[in-house]
Amino acid sequence: MPVLRDRDHTPRGHRPPRGHRPPCGPRAAALFGALLGAVLLAAAPPRAAAARAADPGWTAEPATGAGVRPGGARPYFYLEGIPGTVLEDRLALANPTDREHTVTLRGADAYNADGGALAVRPAAESTAAGSWISFGAGATVKVPPHTRAVVPFTVTVPPAAVPGDHPVAVVATESGHEAGVRVHLRVSGPMLAALTVERASVSGRGRAAVIHYTLVNRGNVALAPDLSVGAEGLFGALPVPAKHPLPVELLPGQRVELNEPWPGAPDADDVGLTLTVTAPGGAHATATASARLVPWGPAGWAGAGLLGLGAAALVARPRVRARRASRAPSPTDRAEPTGAAEPAPTEDELTGASR
């Protein structure tokens, strides 16, 4: 699976229109590069600033030009146009080795893999915006030793293309080695930033607790979301992770399952969680979850018993107060004489007095 390349800045001459926030800003660009680099770490660690395959001996990156500051390099391709537009750009292939390399070029659809990492689809499965990219006669390039080849390509936006971000990449391949360069492709038109949070739950307890949830991009722009967590137990608020950016760029129409460590979770409690996710552009969503954290074993059962007694006490306290209030004497009950009269003797009573 090829690695797509991003950096932390956008060069002059290739910036989006005024007032438009690129689908991958500085923070998301750095995050994107880290995520995509992780896709191929199992094969080989990165060894160069340019997008590099496992060990092909060549690099692929956006070509520099007059609009780029001296010594600068574009972190990715950024292309935008209305439906029916033909967009153009150039890819640079550098061969620093002593032998010739033959590289095949193609466009590919990008998607969110497991955990949110970005990856590209195989040629046979790139039937969406990846198929809009064409290298024409330059799809196969021979790069001589110690040579840098610049290859032009086009992106033909169909007349019926849907507005929004269309994540794609340019992929270079040789003998099973692949390197991808990200293309931020946007079709002009109405933009909508929207997401939902689903299937929130908690597993484990104490420092081993983990929050699970699913993010779904319901809009047509790529999102760089932030997460905040709130938690309440039987006895009040619980410590939770601070608000922070999530390690994912969520592409339009994509669904990712994420996990959030919760080291501040209690060992025994009845917990209610609220997850709030936001992203630039006005995207906002919340989800709730509940969890009864009960440790197992004799000590765990004792703790669960104490927890149950505490909950019962909280429930019973208002009832006790109400019962006491119902038994309180009224003011009229307290108005009694200080002394009681002696009962009058009856006719049969012997008093010792003469009649």
Side-chain angles (χ1 to χ4, degrees), residues 2 4 12 37 74 82 248 288 313:
L4 308 187
R12 287 179 205 147
R74 287 189 285 169
I82 62 174
V248 60
T288 59

mmCIF file with all atom_site columns, all heavy atoms in Angstrom, residues 2 4 12 37 74 82 248 288 313:
data_model
loop_
_atom_site.group_PDB
_atom_site.id
_atom_site.type_symbol
_atom_site.label_atom_id
_atom_site.label_alt_id
_atom_site.label_comp_id
_atom_site.label_asym_id
_atom_site.label_entity_id
_atom_site.label_seq_id
_atom_site.pdbx_PDB_ins_code
_atom_site.Cartn_x
_atom_site.Cartn_y
_atom_site.Cartn_z
_atom_site.occupancy
_atom_site.B_iso_or_equiv
_atom_site.pdbx_formal_charge
_atom_site.auth_seq_id
_atom_site.auth_comp_id
_atom_site.auth_asym_id
_atom_site.auth_atom_id
_atom_site.pdbx_PDB_model_num
ATOM 1  N N   . PRO A 1 2   ? 0.728   2.152  -0.949  1.00 0.00 ? 2   PRO A N   1
ATOM 2  C CA  . PRO A 1 2   ? 1.613   3.309  -1.037  1.00 0.00 ? 2   PRO A CA  1
ATOM 3  C C   . PRO A 1 2   ? 1.367   4.313  0.069   1.00 0.00 ? 2   PRO A C   1
ATOM 4  O O   . PRO A 1 2   ? 0.285   4.412  0.617   1.00 0.00 ? 2   PRO A O   1
ATOM 5  C CB  . PRO A 1 2   ? 1.264   3.906  -2.395  1.00 0.00 ? 2   PRO A CB  1
ATOM 6  C CG  . PRO A 1 2   ? -0.123  3.445  -2.650  1.00 0.00 ? 2   PRO A CG  1
ATOM 7  C CD  . PRO A 1 2   ? -0.240  2.086  -2.037  1.00 0.00 ? 2   PRO A CD  1
ATOM 8  N N   . LEU A 1 4   ? 1.171   8.247  1.169   1.00 0.00 ? 4   LEU A N   1
ATOM 9  C CA  . LEU A 1 4   ? 0.930   9.562  0.600   1.00 0.00 ? 4   LEU A CA  1
ATOM 10 C C   . LEU A 1 4   ? 1.666   10.602 1.414   1.00 0.00 ? 4   LEU A C   1
ATOM 11 O O   . LEU A 1 4   ? 1.782   10.488 2.623   1.00 0.00 ? 4   LEU A O   1
ATOM 12 C CB  . LEU A 1 4   ? -0.567  9.875  0.579   1.00 0.00 ? 4   LEU A CB  1
ATOM 13 C CG  . LEU A 1 4   ? -1.431  8.799  -0.061  1.00 0.00 ? 4   LEU A CG  1
ATOM 14 C CD1 . LEU A 1 4   ? -2.859  9.281  -0.185  1.00 0.00 ? 4   LEU A CD1 1
ATOM 15 C CD2 . LEU A 1 4   ? -0.894  8.415  -1.418  1.00 0.00 ? 4   LEU A CD2 1
ATOM 16 N N   . ARG A 1 12  ? 3.828   29.374 -2.160  1.00 0.00 ? 12  ARG A N   1
ATOM 17 C CA  . ARG A 1 12  ? 3.245   30.447 -2.953  1.00 0.00 ? 12  ARG A CA  1
ATOM 18 C C   . ARG A 1 12  ? 2.951   29.957 -4.357  1.00 0.00 ? 12  ARG A C   1
ATOM 19 O O   . ARG A 1 12  ? 3.658   29.147 -4.912  1.00 0.00 ? 12  ARG A O   1
ATOM 20 C CB  . ARG A 1 12  ? 4.226   31.628 -3.041  1.00 0.00 ? 12  ARG A CB  1
ATOM 21 C CG  . ARG A 1 12  ? 4.322   32.390 -1.748  1.00 0.00 ? 12  ARG A CG  1
ATOM 22 C CD  . ARG A 1 12  ? 5.317   33.514 -1.881  1.00 0.00 ? 12  ARG A CD  1
ATOM 23 N NE  . ARG A 1 12  ? 5.830   33.839 -0.559  1.00 0.00 ? 12  ARG A NE  1
ATOM 24 C CZ  . ARG A 1 12  ? 7.050   34.251 -0.321  1.00 0.00 ? 12  ARG A CZ  1
ATOM 25 N NH1 . ARG A 1 12  ? 7.895   34.392 -1.313  1.00 0.00 ? 12  ARG A NH1 1
ATOM 26 N NH2 . ARG A 1 12  ? 7.409   34.528 0.894   1.00 0.00 ? 12  ARG A NH2 1
ATOM 27 N N   . GLY A 1 37  ? 2.494   7.766  6.831   1.00 0.00 ? 37  GLY A N   1
ATOM 28 C CA  . GLY A 1 37  ? 3.784   7.123  7.019   1.00 0.00 ? 37  GLY A CA  1
ATOM 29 C C   . GLY A 1 37  ? 3.647   5.844  7.804   1.00 0.00 ? 37  GLY A C   1
ATOM 30 O O   . GLY A 1 37  ? 4.328   4.854  7.548   1.00 0.00 ? 37  GLY A O   1
ATOM 31 N N   . ARG A 1 74  ? 6.541   21.847 -2.518  1.00 0.00 ? 74  ARG A N   1
ATOM 32 C CA  . ARG A 1 74  ? 5.121   21.736 -2.198  1.00 0.00 ? 74  ARG A CA  1
ATOM 33 C C   . ARG A 1 74  ? 4.882   20.486 -1.356  1.00 0.00 ? 74  ARG A C   1
ATOM 34 O O   . ARG A 1 74  ? 5.418   19.421 -1.654  1.00 0.00 ? 74  ARG A O   1
ATOM 35 C CB  . ARG A 1 74  ? 4.309   21.674 -3.488  1.00 0.00 ? 74  ARG A CB  1
ATOM 36 C CG  . ARG A 1 74  ? 4.217   22.996 -4.207  1.00 0.00 ? 74  ARG A CG  1
ATOM 37 C CD  . ARG A 1 74  ? 3.227   22.917 -5.361  1.00 0.00 ? 74  ARG A CD  1
ATOM 38 N NE  . ARG A 1 74  ? 3.763   22.189 -6.501  1.00 0.00 ? 74  ARG A NE  1
ATOM 39 C CZ  . ARG A 1 74  ? 3.031   21.801 -7.534  1.00 0.00 ? 74  ARG A CZ  1
ATOM 40 N NH1 . ARG A 1 74  ? 1.729   22.016 -7.545  1.00 0.00 ? 74  ARG A NH1 1
ATOM 41 N NH2 . ARG A 1 74  ? 3.590   21.160 -8.547  1.00 0.00 ? 74  ARG A NH2 1
ATOM 42 N N   . ILE A 1 82  ? -14.270 24.067 -11.349 1.00 0.00 ? 82  ILE A N   1
ATOM 43 C CA  . ILE A 1 82  ? -15.688 23.805 -11.497 1.00 0.00 ? 82  ILE A CA  1
ATOM 44 C C   . ILE A 1 82  ? -15.887 22.537 -12.322 1.00 0.00 ? 82  ILE A C   1
ATOM 45 O O   . ILE A 1 82  ? -14.969 22.076 -13.003 1.00 0.00 ? 82  ILE A O   1
ATOM 46 C CB  . ILE A 1 82  ? -16.392 25.002 -12.167 1.00 0.00 ? 82  ILE A CB  1
ATOM 47 C CG1 . ILE A 1 82  ? -15.837 25.225 -13.577 1.00 0.00 ? 82  ILE A CG1 1
ATOM 48 C CG2 . ILE A 1 82  ? -16.236 26.258 -11.330 1.00 0.00 ? 82  ILE A CG2 1
ATOM 49 C CD1 . ILE A 1 82  ? -16.575 26.304 -14.358 1.00 0.00 ? 82  ILE A CD1 1
ATOM 50 N N   . VAL A 1 248 ? -6.650  11.856 12.999  1.00 0.00 ? 248 VAL A N   1
ATOM 51 C CA  . VAL A 1 248 ? -7.319  11.377 11.799  1.00 0.00 ? 248 VAL A CA  1
ATOM 52 C C   . VAL A 1 248 ? -7.757  12.566 10.957  1.00 0.00 ? 248 VAL A C   1
ATOM 53 O O   . VAL A 1 248 ? -8.139  13.608 11.482  1.00 0.00 ? 248 VAL A O   1
ATOM 54 C CB  . VAL A 1 248 ? -8.548  10.506 12.167  1.00 0.00 ? 248 VAL A CB  1
ATOM 55 C CG1 . VAL A 1 248 ? -9.553  11.294 12.978  1.00 0.00 ? 248 VAL A CG1 1
ATOM 56 C CG2 . VAL A 1 248 ? -9.213  9.942  10.930  1.00 0.00 ? 248 VAL A CG2 1
ATOM 57 N N   . THR A 1 288 ? -23.674 9.935  23.775  1.00 0.00 ? 288 THR A N   1
ATOM 58 C CA  . THR A 1 288 ? -23.622 9.571  25.189  1.00 0.00 ? 288 THR A CA  1
ATOM 59 C C   . THR A 1 288 ? -23.470 8.063  25.329  1.00 0.00 ? 288 THR A C   1
ATOM 60 O O   . THR A 1 288 ? -23.825 7.295  24.430  1.00 0.00 ? 288 THR A O   1
ATOM 61 C CB  . THR A 1 288 ? -24.886 10.030 25.922  1.00 0.00 ? 288 THR A CB  1
ATOM 62 O OG1 . THR A 1 288 ? -26.036 9.423  25.311  1.00 0.00 ? 288 THR A OG1 1
ATOM 63 C CG2 . THR A 1 288 ? -25.024 11.552 25.867  1.00 0.00 ? 288 THR A CG2 1
ATOM 64 N N   . ALA A 1 313 ? -28.158 4.626  49.696  1.00 0.00 ? 313 ALA A N   1
ATOM 65 C CA  . ALA A 1 313 ? -28.233 5.713  50.675  1.00 0.00 ? 313 ALA A CA  1
ATOM 66 C C   . ALA A 1 313 ? -28.651 7.008  50.020  1.00 0.00 ? 313 ALA A C   1
ATOM 67 O O   . ALA A 1 313 ? -29.440 7.782  50.557  1.00 0.00 ? 313 ALA A O   1
ATOM 68 C CB  . ALA A 1 313 ? -26.880 5.876  51.370  1.00 0.00 ? 313 ALA A CB  1
#
